């Protein structure tokens, strides 16, 4: 709909004309598979844990970045960056321990949080990898990614019996339900577009930095909104996760600056610190 409005001039003038190319769709398919894994695991994690703990529950994205860089790209990580990852893992386990002490721990939620962390990391990497296929256009990437996701979700809905659930759902005719679903869809669309833009113009690492800042604000707002009382150690776990994430970013930023300033560094090493 936005693409059709491009002919009308501002504010839609910058939108490209979209058409479905099966070849491009197949090229974007790996990203779409990771995308539905991210959406599904994020929602299932949030279903089983509180919003305040959600940040800690899926805080291992940076750690997975390091592991995937080594396993997929054979890139090593400096000692200081590994120490920052150790702080993040320590904060994660302390948070799990404190949730257990408060009687609100859900191992199902923890599992989906870890899976979400993996998918978020893969999503950032594959976004950067797939962008050249759509000529660097975030609009085209969003279009193909969502078309693929709709197709991929269909067999999952059949397999997991979701159509039966929909048939017995008593709010399908509720305007308020569809209003909230539409609002959620608009936010989801906006997040996907802005995420793609950020990764396009910066790097997956920078995207994770802003995600950490978002998580900090989200945690504080959730505690205030739901009027929760958290222990000192619970807050310590959040600070460890945030502190470790910022420390990792700072270390990688210094490494990237050093690589850019050193003319003797090979091109392969230049790419290494951008992941």
């Amino acid at each position: 709909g936005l693409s059709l409005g491009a002919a009308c001039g501002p504010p839609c003038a910058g939108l490209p004309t979209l058409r479905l190319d099966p070849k491009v769709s197949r090229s974007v398919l790996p990203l779409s598979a990771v995308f539905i894994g991210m959406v599904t695991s994020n929602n299932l994690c949030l279903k089983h844990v509180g919003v305040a703990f959600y940040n800690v529950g899926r805080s291992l994205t940076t750690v997975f970045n390091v592991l995937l860089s080594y396993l997929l790209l054979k890139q090593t990580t400096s000692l200081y960056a590994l120490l920052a990852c150790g702080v993040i893992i320590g904060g994660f386990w302390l948070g799990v321990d404190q949730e257990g002490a408060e009687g609100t721990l859900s191992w199902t939620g923890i599992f989906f949080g870890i899976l979400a962390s993996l998918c978020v990391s893969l999503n950032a990497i594959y976004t950067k990898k797939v962008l050249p296929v759509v000529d660097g256009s975030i609009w085209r990437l969003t279009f193909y990614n969502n078309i693929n996701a709709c197709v991929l979700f269909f067999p999952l809905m059949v397999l997991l019996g979701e159509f039966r659930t929909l048939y017995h759902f008593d709010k399908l005719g509720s305007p308020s339900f569809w209003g909230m679903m539409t609002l959620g869809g608009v936010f989801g669309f906006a997040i996907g577009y802005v995420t793609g833009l950020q990764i396009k113009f910066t790097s997956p690492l920078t995207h994770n930095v802003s995600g950490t800042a978002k998580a900090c604000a989200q945690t504080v707002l959730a505690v205030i909104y739901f009027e929760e009382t958290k222990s000192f150690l619970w807050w310590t776990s959040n600070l460890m996760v945030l502190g470790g994430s910022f420390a990792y970013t700072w270390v990688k930023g210094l490494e990237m600056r050093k690589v850019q300033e050193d003319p003797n560094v090979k091109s392969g090493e230049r790419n290494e610190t951008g992941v």
Side-chain angles (χ1 to χ4, degrees):
L2 290 172
S3 178
L4 291 174
C8 301
C12 299
L15 293 170
T17 301
L18 299 175
R19 63 183 182 85
L20 187 60
D21 185 339
K23 184 178 179 181
V24 176
S25 182
R26 286 194 300 270
S27 299
V28 179
L29 194 59
L31 172 64
S32 302
V34 172
F35 174 73
I36 66 169
M38 180 180 69
V39 171
T40 303
S41 54
N42 271 333
N43 286 339
L44 288 173
C45 175
L46 196 55
K47 175 182 177 180
H48 294 282
V49 303
V51 178
F53 182 70
Y54 180 64
N55 168 41
V56 174
R58 51 182 297 278
S59 61
L60 300 181
T61 300
T62 301
V63 178
F64 278 117
N65 275 349
V66 172
L67 290 175
L68 291 172
S69 295
Y70 179 76
L71 294 175
L72 300 179
L73 307 174
K74 304 302 179 184
Q75 296 174 356
T76 57
T77 304
S78 67
L79 176 61
Y80 290 115
L82 289 176
L83 289 175
C85 289
V87 173
I88 296 172
I89 295 172
F92 172 79
W93 281 114
L94 180 59
V96 170
D97 177 73
Q98 289 304 298
E99 283 291 302
E102 294 182 3
T104 55
L105 178 65
S106 167
W107 284 107
T108 302
I110 296 299
F111 168 78
F112 284 116
I114 295 174
L115 184 60
S117 299
L118 173 61
C119 290
V120 169
S121 178
L122 284 171
N123 184 74
I125 293 173
Y126 274 103
T127 296
K128 197 76 170 181
K129 184 178 180 180
V130 170
L131 269 170
V133 177
V134 291
D135 301 322
S137 172
I138 298 300
W139 286 116
R140 287 194 176 97
L141 183 63
T142 303
F143 173 70
Y144 280 105
N145 193 32
N146 281 280
I147 291 292
N148 286 346
C150 288
V151 175
L152 290 172
F153 266 124
F154 188 83
L156 287 176
M157 293 176 69
V158 174
L159 183 64
L160 300 175
E162 292 294 327
F163 286 105
R164 181 183 295 274
T165 303
L166 285 173
Y167 180 78
H168 294 287
F169 189 55
D170 60 354
K171 292 186 175 63
L172 278 182
S174 169
S176 60
F177 169 76
W178 285 107
M180 293 299 293
M181 290 295 290
T182 302
L183 183 62
V186 170
F187 280 124
F189 178 84
I191 290 170
Y193 178 70
V194 172
T195 295
L197 274 180
Q198 186 178 48
I199 295 171
K200 175 183 176 180
F201 290 110
T202 57
S203 70
L205 174 62
T206 304
H207 170 60
N208 291 333
V209 177
S210 65
T212 300
K214 179 270 301 178
C216 178
Q218 175 181 286
T219 299
V220 174
L221 287 173
V223 171
I224 294 173
Y225 182 82
F226 292 105
E227 299 180 347
E228 298 176 341
T229 302
K230 299 296 184 181
S231 66
F232 173 77
L233 287 178
W234 188 92
W235 284 109
T236 301
S237 71
N238 278 268
L239 290 175
M240 288 178 67
V241 167
L242 295 170
S245 299
F246 279 117
Y248 177 86
T249 303
W250 181 66
V251 170
K252 297 299 286 186
L254 290 178
E255 292 176 0
M256 291 175 69
R257 191 178 307 164
K258 182 179 179 181
V259 167
Q260 291 168 355
E261 292 174 353
D262 189 351
N264 298 319
V265 176
K266 297 178 182 179
S267 60
E269 294 174 342
R270 289 179 182 274
N271 292 334
E272 175 181 334
T273 53
V275 177

